[in-house]
Amino acid sequence: MILMNDIVRDGDPVLRQVGAQVEFPLSATDQELAQTMMAYLENSQDPKLAEKYGLRPGVGLAAPQVGVSKMMAAVLVPGAEDDPKPLFKEVIINPVIVSHSVQPAALSEGEGCLSVDHDVEGYVVRHDRITLRYQDVSGQTHKIRLRDYPAIVCQHEIDHLNGHLYYDLINKQAPYQLADQSTVLID
């Protein structure tokens, strides 16, 4: 089980490395990594378990955040309060954004990260819609279109796999300035 003290913090060099491609079939170690990263997200989104184990809630967790420099991330974007079905739930392996919208988007409350213990204020401008190609844990290739919050979460996790942190995308001179055509999403 992954706990908060297993999460690599900002400043650790692994967070700035480009992850290695994952080979298939998955090794037992990679299978366990995929399972434990998704389990962290599930547990962190359960208020009772999160309190019991001291977990910060998360919607994404990339392998570099647990010290493994590989192209693998777990994503669990919950659905609406009245719909328990997640908007997107998958372990994405060797993900590539094959196309994206011109329309930029940012979360109204900004972004956070399990690896960053301090708030960095400002809009993190990303693409509102993406087409994502990735492999699942069985090695099957998927190509899907995501928009709004699920698209932003996947872009955040893919940034981790490429050695970038969310605050790299904040305009340092004008952190809350957006282009006129930007969409601000309420989270």
Side-chain angles (χ1 to χ4, degrees), residues 116-134:
V116 180
D117 291 327
H118 57 283
D119 288 334
V120 181
E121 294 189 11
Y123 289 134
V124 180
V125 180
R126 298 189 182 277
H127 303 289
D128 185 48
R129 293 178 303 282
I130 62 170
T131 300
L132 177 66
R133 185 179 64 231
Y134 68 93

Side-chain angles (χ1 to χ4, degrees), residues 51-125:
E51 183 178 347
K52 178 179 179 181
Y53 295 110
L55 306 177
R56 284 175 44 200
V59 292
L61 183 62
Q65 292 181 272
V66 291
V68 179
S69 188
K70 289 190 174 184
M71 291 282 182
M72 180 189 303
V75 177
L76 176 53
V77 181
E81 287 184 33
D82 58 344
D83 184 3
K85 184 177 183 245
L87 294 176
F88 186 69
K89 180 180 182 180
E90 185 71 86
V91 174
I92 58 174
I93 302 173
N94 302 324
V96 175
I97 296 171
V98 294
S99 67
H100 58 77
S101 65
V102 176
Q103 176 81 29
L107 298 177
S108 62
E109 297 296 318
E111 292 185 22
C113 180
L114 295 170
S115 291
V116 180
D117 291 327
H118 57 283
D119 288 334
V120 181
E121 294 189 11
Y123 289 134
V124 180
V125 180

Side-chain angles (χ1 to χ4, degrees), residues 1 13 139 187:
M1 179 177 183
D187 40 287

